[in-house]
Amino acid sequence: MILGIGLDLCEVGRIRRLLEKDRGRFIRRVYRESEIAYCDARREPEIHYAARFAAKEAFLKALGRGWRLGWTQVEVVRTASGKPDLLLTGKAAEVAKSRGVRRVHLTLTHTPDTAAAVIVLEGNPISEEEGA
């Protein structure tokens, strides 16, 4: 059963400006080390940072939670085949589990100007009584 769907668009220029203004603070707040390494190894890192930012926002929208979970608890990783996937830790993993999420589907896309992510949460809903 689909428990949530999230979509987010991110302007690459916005991320580029954040990286230029205060790169260290911005990436420490939002990205995990593996994400930073992946993005920085690319020819145009800001595009890849934007796609990961969109994925994090799309996940939070699909889950129905705000930023209280923390950006770095939602990490974009790549499977052995190269497909993007999400790794949830901390409160993000706890909340997803408490809501019955068993699988997260992620797709990313980008142009030079815009990055987008779609998240589909799959699982079995847990009633308020069961989750307590």
Side-chain angles (χ1 to χ4, degrees), residues 6 51-52 54-56 58-59 75-77 83-87 104-109 116-120:
R52 277 146 187 78
K56 293 166 188 265
F59 171 76
E75 179 180 2
V76 177
V77 297
K83 178 185 173 296
D85 200 2
L86 283 190
L87 175 62
V104 178
H105 303 272
L106 166 64
T107 187
L108 303 173
T109 191
V118 174
I119 295 279
V120 176

Side-chain angles (χ1 to χ4, degrees), residues 15 19 23 39-50:
I15 299 300
L19 289 168
R23 176 188 167 79
C39 294
D40 285 347
R42 299 298 172 271
R43 189 167 48 94
E44 295 182 76
E46 63 274 8
I47 291 173
H48 301 279
Y49 278 116

Side-chain angles (χ1 to χ4, degrees), residues 59-77:
F59 171 76
L60 294 170
K61 289 174 181 178
L63 198 58
R65 292 290 294 241
W67 316 128
R68 293 165 290 191
L69 294 179
W71 293 104
T72 60
Q73 295 179 21
V74 179
E75 179 180 2
V76 177
V77 297

Side-chain angles (χ1 to χ4, degrees), residues 1-6 61-63 101 119-122:
M1 168 181 251
I2 294 176
L3 301 177
I5 299 172
K61 289 174 181 178
L63 198 58
V101 175
I119 295 279
V120 176
L121 303 179
E122 184 181 352

Side-chain angles (χ1 to χ4, degrees), residues 84-132:
D85 200 2
L86 283 190
L87 175 62
L88 306 176
T89 58
K91 191 74 171 165
E94 290 173 26
V95 171
K97 183 178 179 183
S98 75
R99 300 223 174 143
V101 175
R102 295 194 176 196
R103 190 162 180 207
V104 178
H105 303 272
L106 166 64
T107 187
L108 303 173
T109 191
H110 58 76
T111 69
D113 300 318
T114 307
V118 174
I119 295 279
V120 176
L121 303 179
E122 184 181 352
N124 297 312
I126 295 177
S127 70
E128 295 284 326
E129 298 80 37
E130 289 178 276

